[in-house]
C-alpha cells in the first residue's frame, strides 16, 4: 500500500488534530528510520496506521478484545491502551496488512514491550517526540533521538511510567516489561 492510499484510509477515522499528529509521527519515524537503518516504507505505513483505532467506540474495542486472541487483561486497564492492539487487528482485517513487523509496531506503540524491534522502537519514540508534543523533559529525549535509539526508547518508557505513577494510574505489565528490558540492554545485557 502506498503512502497516499494509507493516508486517505486513515484520515476519515481521525479528528483533524489526531490526523495532523499522525502526519508528524510519520515524518519523525521516517527520519529515525533513515538514521538507524530501518525500512522507511515500513516506518511510514506503521506510523500512518498507529492511531487508526483511536476513536473506535469503547464497546466495539471491547468486543474485539473479547472475541480475538488479544490478551483479556487489557480490559482491566485503561481503555487508552486498547487502540494499539485493536488497530493491529483491524488493519489486517480491513486493509489486508499482514506484515507482522508493521502490525506489531502498531500493537505496541503505546506500551512498548520486551525485545522491541527497531521498527517498534521507532514508532514508539516518534509518537512521543513528534514536533507537536510538549511533555516536560522532551528536549532531552529529542536530543538523545539523534544519537541512540535504545537509550531514547528507554527515556520514553521511563518518562511515561513516571508520569503515570505521579497520577496514581495503573500501569500495564508490558509498559513495565519494556522499561526493564531496555534498562537491561543499557546495562550491557546483564
Ligand atoms: O495515542 P496517543 O495519544 O498519540 O499516544 P499513546 O498511544 O502513546 O498513549 C495514549 C495514553 O496511554 C498516554 O496518555 C499514555 C498512556 N499510557 C501508556 N502506557 C500506559 C498508559 N496508561 C495507563 N493507564 N497505563 C499504561 O501502562
Ligand atoms: Fe496511540
Ligand atoms: Fe499517537
Amino acid at each position: 500500500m502506498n503512502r497516499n492510499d494509507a493516508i486517505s484510509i486513515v484520515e476519515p477515522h481521525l479528528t483533524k488534530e489526531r490526523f495532523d499528529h499522525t502526519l508528524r509521527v510519520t515524518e519523525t519515524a521516517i527520519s529515525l528510520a533513515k538514521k538507524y537503518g530501518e525500512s522507511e516504507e515500513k516506518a511510514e505505513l506503521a506510523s500512518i496506521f498507529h492511531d487508526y483505532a483511536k476513536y473506535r467506540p469503547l464497546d466495539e474495542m471491547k468486543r474485539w478484545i473479547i472475541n480475538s486472541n488479544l490478551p483479556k487483561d487489557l480490559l482491566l486497564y485503561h481503555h487508552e491502551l486498547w487502540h494499539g492492539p485493536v488497530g493491529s487487528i483491524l488493519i489486517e482485517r480491513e486493509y489486508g496488512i499482514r506484515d507482522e513487523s508493521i502490525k506489531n509496531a502498531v500493537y505496541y506503540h503505546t506500551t512498548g514491550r520486551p525485545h522491541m524491534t527497531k521498527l517498534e522502537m521507532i514508532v514508539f519514540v516518534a509518537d512521543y517526540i513528534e514536533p507537536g508534543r510538549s511533555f516536560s523533559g522532551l528536549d532531552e529525549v529529542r536530543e538523545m533521538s539523534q544519537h541512540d535509539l535504545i537509550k531514547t526508547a528507554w527515556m520514553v518508557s521511563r518518562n511515561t511510567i513516571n508520569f503515570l505513577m505521579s497520577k496514581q494510574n495503573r500501569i500495564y505489565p508490558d509498559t513495565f516489561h519494556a522499561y526493564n528490558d531496555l534498562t537491561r540492554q543499557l546495562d550491557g545485557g546483564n
Side-chain angles (χ1 to χ4, degrees):
M1 185 183 302
N2 71 32
R3 179 195 180 93
N4 288 342
D5 290 346
I7 287 179
S8 354
I9 286 171
V10 158
E11 186 170 13
H13 292 272
L14 303 178
T15 60
K16 172 80 170 72
E17 291 67 33
R18 181 65 41 186
F19 178 65
D20 291 344
H21 158 75
T22 293
L23 295 181
R24 292 189 299 265
V25 172
T26 304
E27 290 320 306
T28 306
I30 290 172
S31 105
L32 291 171
K34 276 199 184 95
K35 178 176 287 293
Y36 293 108
E38 179 52 88
S39 156
E40 293 172 41
E41 290 71 29
K42 285 187 183 193
E44 180 173 63
L45 210 54
S47 301
I48 293 173
F49 280 104
H50 85 283
D51 277 339
Y52 173 66
K54 184 96 176 170
Y55 300 106
R56 290 293 162 125
L58 291 186
D59 59 340
E60 183 189 341
M61 287 199 283
K62 204 178 265 184
R63 273 201 306 278
W64 279 113
I65 294 168
I66 291 167
N67 297 322
S68 69
N69 60 1
L70 293 177
K72 308 308 166 221
D73 67 349
L74 281 168
L75 298 170
L76 306 173
Y77 292 84
H78 200 280
H79 55 73
E80 268 297 330
L81 297 170
W82 300 351
H83 70 283
V86 171
S88 76
I89 288 188
L90 293 181
I91 61 174
E92 173 162 7
R93 295 185 68 107
E94 298 179 358
Y95 306 109
I97 297 173
R98 281 183 203 87
D99 185 322
E100 288 297 323
S101 62
I102 291 176
K103 287 177 60 191
N104 283 332
V106 172
Y107 188 121
Y108 295 104
H109 83 267
T110 303
T111 59
R113 65 160 165 173
H115 310 298
M116 270 193 276
T117 63
K118 204 187 277 183
L119 184 67
E120 289 166 32
M121 286 193 281
I122 284 172
V123 177
F124 181 69
V125 165
D127 192 22
Y128 192 84
I129 67 169
E130 61 92 345
R133 299 284 207 192
S134 56
F135 304 123
S136 79
L138 195 47
D139 287 349
E140 181 197 26
V141 185
R142 288 194 176 121
E143 161 63 19
M144 185 56 73
S145 73
Q146 298 306 303
H147 307 291
D148 184 332
L149 183 62
I150 293 174
K151 183 82 193 265
T152 313
W154 176 82
M155 287 176 153
V156 172
S157 173
R158 175 202 61 186
N159 289 4
T160 301
I161 290 172
N162 277 336
F163 170 74
L164 294 167
M165 288 181 72
S166 75
K167 295 201 307 169
Q168 202 178 321
N169 285 353
R170 270 169 278 172
I171 297 174
Y172 191 64
D174 280 346
T175 305
F176 275 131
H177 291 147
Y179 170 81
N180 283 335
D181 178 66
L182 291 162
T183 305
R184 187 184 52 76
Q185 292 190 54
L186 293 182
D187 291 344
N190 299 304

